Amino acid sequence: MSLSSHPKAYGTAAVAVAFVVGVCVTLGFKDFYPELERRYQQSKRRTARKSSRRLSLATEADTARRRSSFFWGPVELEDHDDKADATPPHLLPPTAGPVVGIEGCIGNTPLVEIKSLSDATGRTIMAKAEFLNGAGNSPKDRVALSMIQAGEAAGLLVPGRGDTIYEGTVGSTGISLAALARAKGYKAHICMPDDQAKEKSDLLHHLGATVERVRVAPITSPDHFVNLARRRAKEHTADRRVESNGFFADQFESGANWLAHFNTTGPEIYYQTGGEISAFVAGAGTGGTISGVTKYLKEEAKLDDLKIVLADPQGSGLYNKVKYGVMYSATEKEGTRRRQQVDTIVEGIGINRITNNFNAGRDYITDAVKVSDEQACKMARWLVEHDGIFVGSSSSVNCVAAVAAAMKLPEGSRVVTVLCDSGTRHLSKFWKKVGESGLEEQEDTDDLFGFLGLSPAGK
């Protein structure tokens, strides 16, 4: 009987032939297999390394944000020598999934190039958009969270016990503390000078905080807003009628302030610039921002050639301290100024004492720019007119100083500064002054240096 006349026998033979052919092919290629496997594994590892590098920034930032902690230490630097594999920050994938709580919206703010300033100076001027932090809309969100976590770690704050956070502030720190206090199960009691913009205290009230607006007094007075907040916290803790605690956040002296920027803002700026930054420019109120960012960029990122420039409003003594080693000029002595704190319309930066936070990074600050109220008002108007950026007084001071600092650097240099908060918090004072000065009715100009009264030579 032939195979063709018996289907079952034909099928069996076909399987046998296929098996034999398969064995022969396998034996024939056995010498080539190790090489093919080696090449496959190399390709797989290269792909994995590229993916890891591209996602490292977003993943690390997201992990830190999900932990909601500023005390996991600074971000570790990675090897970025392979420029071809580097992915621009704006092309990084979004963080996966939702964040937890309002504190999850703090950090990872954009770094924005201010095009009109770059075009005018021939240097790239960028600003960290800290007004986009999601709790209190300022860099103080980072600080407030850090100080609260420090209090919790020390057992001074316990959620749900009725504890109250006390702070003396001109506004932004109090707003951030008030927002986070509610979210984390605490109350907030804010002491602030009565010459600050009214919308700040109104906002604090709406956030559920107790607000004490007090007369302006020197820091040596027990009624200075910071000293009053400290006293209120002690009185709360000493009150045996309540089991809750009073926690004085102490933003001017607490190391949790500059550490917040050392652990978050500094690393973000480093990664967003790829480490290519010529100067960092910032004002100082508590000093936490300029010290924390500077210490990270200098000590961890090892940017030895980076210039650190202080932006200081009129009436503040820090400019003279940096430039000449003395705190006061003849016009800044007690009794010669209209205000006890700093004789300027600018809020949030400028001070006439050295805080622990400023001292932390003081040795790295090599230059300073004094900015007048008039220049601050003009810069605020310029940014609206040319870039659609609406910010407050401290941001305007930072931008004026960034322009001045940039002109002392070679063309093509990259300068980073900070946009602290929105102009909506400065309507009744700073922006009122802008309007009263007639700047909003003036014809637009493209001469930045003439408009600000700055020398193009940077002098």
Side-chain angles (χ1 to χ4, degrees):
M1 180 177 65
S2 68
L3 287 175
S4 59
S5 62
H6 199 300
K8 185 175 180 180
Y10 180 84
T12 302
V15 170
V17 170
F19 176 77
V20 172
V21 170
V23 170
C24 293
V25 169
T26 300
L27 292 174
F29 279 93
K30 67 182 179 64
D31 292 333
F32 296 99
Y33 179 78
E35 178 63 19
L36 292 173
E37 173 67 13
R38 185 181 67 81
R39 292 183 181 181
Y40 168 74
Q41 292 297 337
Q42 283 180 341
S43 176
K44 187 176 179 181
R45 284 193 294 270
R46 281 197 300 270
T47 302
R49 283 197 299 269
K50 289 180 180 179
S51 298
S52 176
R53 277 193 291 267
R54 290 171 179 170
L55 294 173
S56 62
L57 302 185
T59 302
E60 193 160 305
D62 187 48
T63 299
R65 185 165 59 184
R66 286 172 181 276
R67 288 171 173 168
S68 296
S69 175
F70 285 87
F71 296 97
W72 295 91
V75 178
E76 294 183 3
L77 300 182
E78 299 180 28
D79 185 2
H80 290 279
D81 288 340
D82 188 354
K83 299 294 185 181
D85 291 335
T87 302
H90 66 280
L91 295 180
L92 288 172
T95 54
V99 297
V100 179
I102 193 66
E103 61 266 35
C105 300
I106 298 173
N108 297 305
T109 55
L111 184 67
V112 182
E113 179 181 352
I114 306 179
K115 193 172 185 304
S116 71
L117 303 185
S118 296
D119 290 345
T121 61
R123 286 81 174 162
T124 300
I125 296 183
M126 299 168 283
K128 192 78 165 125
E130 287 293 277
F131 64 90
L132 294 179
N133 275 302
N137 309 122
S138 81
K140 297 301 184 179
D141 282 358
R142 303 174 189 263
V143 175
L145 181 58
S146 181
M147 293 189 300
I148 289 173
Q149 288 171 340
E152 290 173 335
L156 300 176
L157 286 173
V158 177
R161 189 173 63 182
D163 292 348
T164 299
I165 301 168
Y166 292 83
E167 184 59 290
T169 168
V170 296
S172 291
T173 303
I175 292 167
S176 296
L177 282 171
L180 288 168
R182 285 295 177 178
K184 295 179 74 65
Y186 308 113
K187 299 176 183 178
H189 186 118
I190 305 301
C191 301
M192 64 187 303
D194 60 5
D195 63 348
Q196 299 302 293
K198 187 176 182 298
E199 49 265 34
K200 292 183 180 180
S201 57
D202 288 345
L203 179 55
L204 284 165
H205 280 299
H206 290 305
L207 286 170
T210 298
V211 182
E212 279 191 79
R213 288 179 70 103
V214 300
R215 293 187 64 179
V216 176
I219 188 64
T220 53
S221 169
D223 294 325
H224 183 274
F225 63 98
V226 172
N227 297 331
L228 179 61
R230 181 186 290 108
R231 187 165 75 248
R232 293 282 187 255
K234 288 181 178 179
E235 292 169 350
H236 182 142
T237 302
D239 189 348
R240 296 184 178 180
R241 295 172 298 177
V242 296
E243 297 181 1
S244 58
N245 192 36
F247 174 70
F248 177 51
D250 199 14
Q251 62 164 328
F252 287 90
E253 310 302 333
S254 171
N257 184 338
W258 70 261
L259 275 170
H261 296 292
F262 180 87
N263 288 336
T264 64
T265 320
E268 288 173 25
I269 289 173
Y270 176 80
Y271 283 121
Q272 287 170 326
T273 60
E276 296 180 4
I277 169 175
S278 309
F280 176 66
V281 181
T286 64
T289 301
I290 193 168
S291 288
V293 171
T294 294
K295 283 175 71 66
Y296 179 84
L297 295 177
K298 287 287 192 179
E299 296 175 4
E300 296 296 317
K302 306 299 183 183
L303 301 182
D304 297 332
D305 296 331
L306 177 67
K307 307 295 183 186
I308 306 298
V309 182
L310 172 74
D312 212 32
Q314 66 182 50
S316 174
L318 297 181
Y319 170 85
N320 286 318
K321 190 65 175 179
V322 171
K323 296 285 284 188
Y324 310 115
V326 295
M327 195 64 176
Y328 303 106
S329 70
T331 60
E332 292 160 357
K333 294 185 298 184
E334 292 286 350
T336 65
R337 292 171 284 132
R338 293 190 302 274
R339 297 180 59 223
Q340 289 288 352
Q341 185 188 4
V342 177
D343 189 12
T344 178
I345 196 173
V346 174
E347 297 179 352
I349 59 173
I351 195 170
N352 278 314
R353 69 181 189 274
I354 300 295
T355 66
N356 286 341
N357 279 287
F358 184 79
N359 220 26
R362 175 180 161 190
D363 290 342
Y364 292 116
I365 303 172
T366 56
D367 199 4
V369 177
K370 176 76 78 175
V371 180
S372 68
D373 283 355
E374 181 182 9
Q375 288 174 320
C377 289
K378 287 183 174 181
M379 176 57 80
R381 186 58 199 158
W382 174 279
L383 292 174
V384 168
E385 195 68 34
H386 293 266
D387 301 277
I389 298 175
F390 184 58
V391 291
S393 54
S394 56
S395 302
S396 299
V397 170
N398 285 345
C399 288
V400 173
V403 169
M407 298 313 296
K408 293 183 179 180
L409 300 170
E411 287 191 24
S413 296
R414 293 156 62 87
V415 178
V416 172
T417 190
V418 181
L419 298 179
C420 306
D421 59 5
S422 167
T424 56
R425 290 186 185 172
H426 301 261
L427 295 176
S428 65
K429 187 177 177 183
F430 178 69
W431 274 97
K432 181 180 178 182
K433 179 71 173 179
V434 174
E436 291 173 346
S437 65
L439 290 171
E440 293 175 321
E441 284 73 42
Q442 286 185 11
E443 186 176 345
D444 186 28
T445 176
D446 291 325
D447 180 9
L448 175 66
F449 297 98
F451 187 56
L452 297 176
L454 290 176
S455 168
K459 297 180 180 179

